[in-house]
């Protein structure tokens, strides 16, 4: 059985860990509110952009813009979004496991672009071909941060390097639920269900629908990528907050167990000393 000094040392160590996890929990909670607000605020913009794209695409021949061409046979690109840091529960593990299922379940020639160090390290360990890797965009990502990635993906797709591009990221459902999702980015397939307003054929476009679409498509690609980054940020902070809260509670339970053990050892030592004193007195 450990001594009282060893138990006190362990209680102190666990107490220090508890302070750290509690502080990380509060920091993640403060960042979560901002990330959640940004994510929820950006979703209506993305949905409205889908609606506008569907209106314009309704009057444009898909052959007039290469990003609207039908999906063809060829190489596939997966853009994998993970966090740079750990201590976020099972968020990265679930996302990477989902990505590996996507990778092993396809027969296409495949490459991956990673956003986040955790995904980069996992893909390298699995020897998955990496086309490029980006570090994360921080706790407050800006739309301008995503433009180099959007330009890289669009240029490679237009050059024929890839026939299709999919985004794979943890979607923010709620504080307790973050679900990995895979969504097609390119070629763009306008969703007619989003066109809830006036049908596209009743609009008059200036100078013409093709020019409008030409300006709209890069914004669409960048917006979809930025939405994935926002979903990742909110998911990361919520997962980290829950993980640190669980760690704090576990640390408190361990402190309680160690305190009980300490009291038992202390009582046992006191009893033994009393017996020794009584035995010595009787011997005298």
């Amino acid at each position: 059985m450990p001594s009282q000094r060893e138990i006190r040392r362990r209680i102190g160590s666990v107490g220090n860990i508890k302070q750290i996890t509690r502080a990380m929990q509060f920091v993640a909670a403060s960042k979560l509110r901002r990330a959640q607000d940004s994510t929820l605020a950006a979703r209506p913009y993305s949905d409205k952009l889908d609606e506008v794209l569907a209106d314009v695409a309704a009057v444009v021949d898909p052959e007039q813009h290469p990003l609207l061409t039908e999906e063809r046979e060829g190489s596939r690109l997966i853009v994998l979004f993970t966090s740079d840091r750990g201590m976020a529960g099972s968020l990265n593990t679930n996302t990477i496991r989902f990505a590996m299922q996507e990778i092993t379940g396809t027969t296409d020639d495949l490459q991956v672009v990673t956003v986040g160090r955790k995904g980069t390290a996992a893909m390298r360990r699995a020897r998955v071909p990496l086309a490029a890797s980006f570090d994360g965009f921080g706790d407050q990502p800006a739309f301008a941060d995503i433009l180099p990635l959007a330009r890289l993906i669009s240029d490679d797709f237009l050059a024929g390097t890839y026939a299709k591009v999919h985004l794979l990221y943890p979607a923010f459902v709620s504080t307790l639920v973050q679900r990995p999702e895979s969504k097609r980015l390119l070629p763009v397939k306008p969703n007619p269900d989003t066109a809830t307003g006036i049908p596209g054929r009743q609009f008059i476009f200036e100078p013409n629908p093709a020019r409008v679409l030409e300006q709209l498509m890069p914004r669409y690609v960048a917006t979809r990528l930025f939405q994935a980054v926002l979903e990742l940020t909110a998911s990361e902070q919520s997962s980290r907050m829950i993980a640190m809260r669980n760690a704090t509670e576990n640390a408190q339970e361990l402190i309680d167990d160690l305190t009980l053990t300490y009291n038992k050892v202390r009582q046992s030592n006191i009893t033994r000393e009393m017996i020794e004193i009584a035995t010595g007195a009787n011997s005298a």
Side-chain angles (χ1 to χ4, degrees), residues 129-181:
L130 283 180
S133 61
F134 293 80
D135 287 344
F137 300 105
D139 297 328
Q140 293 180 278
F143 187 79
D145 297 335
I146 209 70
L147 295 181
L149 174 61
R151 190 157 45 245
L152 171 68
I153 294 173
S154 298
D155 291 347
D156 284 350
F157 182 82
L158 293 175
T161 306
Y162 310 112
K164 44 199 167 185
V165 180
H166 286 79
L167 304 181
L168 201 157
Y169 58 91
F172 178 78
V173 180
S174 67
T175 303
L176 298 176
V177 180
Q178 302 85 40
R179 184 178 302 117
E181 289 187 357

Side-chain angles (χ1 to χ4, degrees), residues 14 20 31 47 55-56 68 108 118 133 137 152-153 164 177 180 188 204 209 219 227-228 240 243 245 251 262 270:
V14 176
I20 294 173
K31 293 180 179 179
D47 294 340
D55 286 331
V56 180
L68 279 175
D108 297 329
K118 292 297 181 180
S133 61
F137 300 105
L152 171 68
I153 294 173
K164 44 199 167 185
V177 180
V188 177
I204 298 176
R219 171 69 61 167
Q227 183 66 43
R240 179 170 291 118
R245 186 184 67 185
Y262 174 82
I270 292 174

Side-chain angles (χ1 to χ4, degrees), residues 55-56 59-60 198-210 212:
D55 286 331
V56 180
V59 295
V60 174
I198 302 174
R201 299 183 185 279
Q202 299 185 25
F203 283 113
I204 298 176
F205 296 94
E206 291 292 343
N208 56 66
V212 174

Side-chain angles (χ1 to χ4, degrees), residues 66-243:
L67 297 184
L68 279 175
T69 56
E70 290 296 325
E71 188 171 311
R72 61 188 186 276
E73 294 297 324
S75 180
R76 179 186 181 191
L77 177 69
I78 292 180
V79 186
L80 173 63
F81 294 84
T82 59
S83 68
D84 277 345
R85 298 172 294 168
M87 308 290 284
S90 60
L91 177 72
N92 290 315
T93 302
N94 292 339
T95 305
I96 292 170
R97 183 184 296 117
F98 184 79
M100 294 307 299
Q101 291 174 353
E102 287 278 316
I103 292 170
T104 57
T106 183
T107 57
D108 297 329
D109 182 23
L110 183 141
Q111 287 190 325
V112 177
V113 170
T114 56
V115 178
R117 296 173 188 168
K118 292 297 181 180
T120 302
M123 294 299 104
R124 285 175 176 167
R125 286 195 301 269
R127 300 185 183 277
V128 176
L130 283 180
S133 61
F134 293 80
D135 287 344
F137 300 105
D139 297 328
Q140 293 180 278
F143 187 79
D145 297 335
I146 209 70
L147 295 181
L149 174 61
R151 190 157 45 245
L152 171 68
I153 294 173
S154 298
D155 291 347
D156 284 350
F157 182 82
L158 293 175
T161 306
Y162 310 112
K164 44 199 167 185
V165 180
H166 286 79
L167 304 181
L168 201 157
Y169 58 91
F172 178 78
V173 180
S174 67
T175 303
L176 298 176
V177 180
Q178 302 85 40
R179 184 178 302 117
E181 289 187 357
S182 177
K183 290 189 176 181
R184 188 172 84 170
L185 176 66
L186 295 173
V188 177
K189 183 178 181 181
N191 185 1
D193 296 336
T194 61
T196 56
I198 302 174
R201 299 183 185 279
Q202 299 185 25
F203 283 113
I204 298 176
F205 296 94
E206 291 292 343
N208 56 66
R211 287 291 301 275
V212 174
L213 185 63
E214 183 180 349
Q215 297 296 319
L216 185 62
M217 292 303 292
R219 171 69 61 167
Y220 173 84
V221 173
T223 298
R224 279 302 177 196
L225 289 169
F226 186 56
Q227 183 66 43
V229 171
L230 292 177
E231 298 280 347
L232 167 66
T233 303
S235 298
E236 178 186 1
Q237 298 304 335
S238 60
S239 183
R240 179 170 291 118
M241 183 189 70
I242 298 300

